Amino acid sequence: SPILTFQLRRVLLSKPLLYYVISLIIGLLSSILFLMNYSLLGAVLAASFLAVIFYTVPKSYFYIIVSVFLIGFVNIYSYYRLPIAQRIIVRVLEERYDYYIGEHKNKKYAIIGLDKEIKEGMLVYGSFQAIDNPSISRGLVAELKAIEVYEVKKDYISKIYEYRDAIYNSFKGVLG
């Protein structure tokens, strides 16, 4: 009924933050769909959302909602698509069975080809080849294959990792 539609629209327009949150989430989801090679589905999601918003809200809200949508889309897309340099410094965050998880400029990478003597928290300066294989569910941007390691450093963060491991092993010995 027209009265119900008018009341629903009035309630939604009195709470524009709801539109902004939904717009941000749809932008993030459509960007993830583009990154996972579901471009058509991402485009359909984005176009249908923007079409519904275009016909239901005033124009002043529409421009703000499109801006928030684009912020969400560009945020995820740029995180997974910006290139990295070949010679970089990577902090090793975690050791897995056959690879490491490292961080460079607040982006996580799977690192292949490092020596087993490298421990968590160490800084590795080396030449890496980026292999475009993102794991969006784990937050990994790409795989880095170590071509040559120039230097491995310890700093205060690696000492914190060592201290954490020592505490863990002492509690493991006491508690079992």
Side-chain angles (χ1 to χ4, degrees):
S1 83
I3 295 173
L4 180 62
T5 307
F6 177 73
Q7 288 175 347
L8 181 63
R9 185 174 179 185
R10 191 180 64 188
V11 168
L12 289 176
L13 289 179
S14 68
K15 300 179 190 283
L17 189 59
L18 180 65
Y19 279 115
Y20 304 149
V21 169
I22 292 171
S23 175
L24 184 67
I25 290 171
I26 299 278
L28 295 171
L29 287 175
S30 61
S31 179
I32 288 172
L33 288 172
F34 271 100
L35 289 170
M36 295 176 67
N37 294 328
Y38 294 111
S39 301
L40 183 63
L41 187 60
V44 167
L45 177 68
S48 61
F49 171 73
L50 293 175
V52 167
I53 293 298
F54 180 76
Y55 290 115
T56 58
V57 299
K59 298 298 179 234
S60 60
Y61 283 127
F62 176 73
Y63 296 126
I64 296 171
I65 289 170
V66 168
S67 302
V68 172
F69 173 83
L70 290 175
I71 287 171
F73 186 87
V74 170
N75 184 16
I76 292 291
Y77 199 80
S78 66
Y79 179 79
Y80 284 100
R81 286 295 175 208
L82 289 181
I84 62 165
Q86 282 190 326
R87 292 184 180 187
I88 57 174
I89 297 176
V90 177
R91 178 172 306 279
V92 176
L93 298 177
E94 191 176 334
E95 183 178 353
R96 296 289 173 104
Y97 296 111
D98 54 346
Y99 66 94
Y100 291 90
I101 293 179
E103 184 179 52
H104 171 67
K105 292 186 179 179
N106 292 327
K107 293 183 180 184
K108 289 184 180 181
Y109 298 94
I111 305 171
I112 303 168
L114 290 179
D115 295 334
K116 289 293 180 186
E117 59 207 32
I118 295 175
K119 302 294 180 201
E120 293 177 353
M122 290 185 168
L123 290 172
V124 178
Y125 175 66
S127 179
F128 297 94
Q129 177 186 3
I131 302 168
D132 190 26
N133 187 12
S135 175
I136 296 172
S137 63
R138 294 184 296 162
L140 299 177
V141 175
E143 289 181 2
L144 295 179
K145 183 177 180 184
I147 297 171
E148 186 176 353
V149 175
Y150 301 118
E151 188 177 2
V152 177
K153 295 183 193 176
K154 286 187 174 182
D155 62 346
Y156 66 93
I157 294 179
S158 60
K159 295 200 187 292
I160 291 172
Y161 274 89
E162 289 175 2
Y163 184 66
R164 182 194 71 175
D165 288 340
I167 290 174
Y168 172 76
N169 290 332
S170 66
F171 277 125
K172 183 179 170 184
V174 171
L175 298 175

